[in-house]
Amino acid sequence: MYDINVKRVAKVLKKCREYLYWVQNSVFEGEISEVNYKKLKKELDRIINTEEDSVIVYTFRSTRYSKRETMGIKKGGDDNMI
Amino acid sequence: MYDINVKRVAKVLKKCREYLYWVQNSVFEGEISEVNYKKLKKELDRIINTEEDSVIVYTFRSTRYSKRETMGIKKGGDDNMI
């Protein structure tokens, strides 16, 4: 998920969509290989301004020890990963 | 994390702050007991409009199988939980 200056957010959204599913305002999910994950981080690093923007990535090696719950409507996401 | 209509977002922000740490735009983190977690969900349920708003909760029973990485600036969070 990210908190990006409006000048750059469309680029970040577009880039994340290449690898993951959009699930909610500034939140993406999905399974991603180590190689693609490194690629995505490198590409995001070129887009964001590290003095202004913030990206947080939670990676789960296994979904057995975590749970995902939603309240309200389901906004996006082709198939939620947990 | 949440994606809430602007009419209700301040109330949701205030409610989440009672239990968790704000870390980024519409994202909270923290350790929470089962009892408090149920309380928070009940209170959020009274605030949000389930036809318009969306809340996603990821719970980790153990942080051993997950990782948290940040890019760019660290926005909030007293002490990140992972």
Side-chain angles (χ1 to χ4, degrees):
Chain A
M1 63 212 64
Y2 52 75
D3 191 340
I4 305 288
N5 185 299
V6 70
K7 290 177 285 183
R8 289 177 292 278
V9 70
K11 267 193 195 163
V12 169
L13 180 76
K14 202 167 157 244
K15 184 52 64 183
C16 289
R17 269 214 177 109
E18 288 176 30
Y19 296 89
L20 300 165
Y21 293 110
W22 178 86
V23 289
Q24 188 193 78
N25 176 25
S26 69
V27 178
F28 281 78
E29 282 181 9
E31 290 195 36
I32 188 168
S33 67
E34 197 61 38
V35 169
N36 277 341
Y37 178 45
K38 281 187 179 129
K39 254 177 85 187
L40 174 56
K41 280 198 290 186
K42 221 185 234 167
E43 289 164 4
L44 286 179
D45 213 31
R46 273 190 229 120
I47 297 171
I48 70 172
N49 173 332
T50 51
E51 306 295 316
E52 284 183 25
D53 303 330
S54 170
V55 177
I56 303 177
V57 181
Y58 300 94
T59 44
F60 306 82
R61 262 173 286 146
S62 149
T63 54
R64 245 183 319 165
Y65 304 98
S66 47
K67 202 169 61 171
R68 180 187 190 280
E69 291 175 81
T70 57
M71 295 172 73
I73 51 164
K74 180 175 173 283
K75 290 222 165 183
D78 186 34
D79 175 26
N80 300 109
M81 50 168 257
I82 301 179
Chain B
M1 62 211 64
Y2 52 74
D3 190 341
I4 306 288
N5 184 299
V6 69
K7 290 177 286 184
R8 290 178 292 278
V9 72
K11 268 193 197 163
V12 168
L13 180 77
K14 201 166 158 243
K15 184 52 65 183
C16 289
R17 269 214 176 109
E18 288 176 31
Y19 297 89
L20 300 164
Y21 295 111
W22 179 87
V23 291
Q24 189 192 80
N25 176 26
S26 69
V27 178
F28 281 79
E29 280 182 8
E31 288 196 35
I32 189 168
S33 65
E34 197 62 39
V35 170
N36 277 341
Y37 178 45
K38 282 189 179 124
K39 253 177 83 186
L40 174 56
K41 280 198 289 187
K42 220 184 239 165
E43 289 164 4
L44 286 178
D45 214 30
R46 272 191 230 119
I47 297 171
I48 70 170
N49 172 334
T50 51
E51 305 296 315
E52 284 183 26
D53 302 330
S54 169
V55 177
I56 301 178
V57 181
Y58 300 94
T59 44
F60 305 82
R61 261 176 287 144
S62 149
T63 54
R64 245 183 318 167
Y65 304 97
S66 46
K67 201 170 62 171
R68 179 188 191 282
E69 289 175 85
T70 57
M71 295 172 73
I73 53 164
K74 180 175 173 285
K75 290 222 167 183
D78 185 33
D79 175 25
N80 299 111
M81 49 169 255
I82 298 179

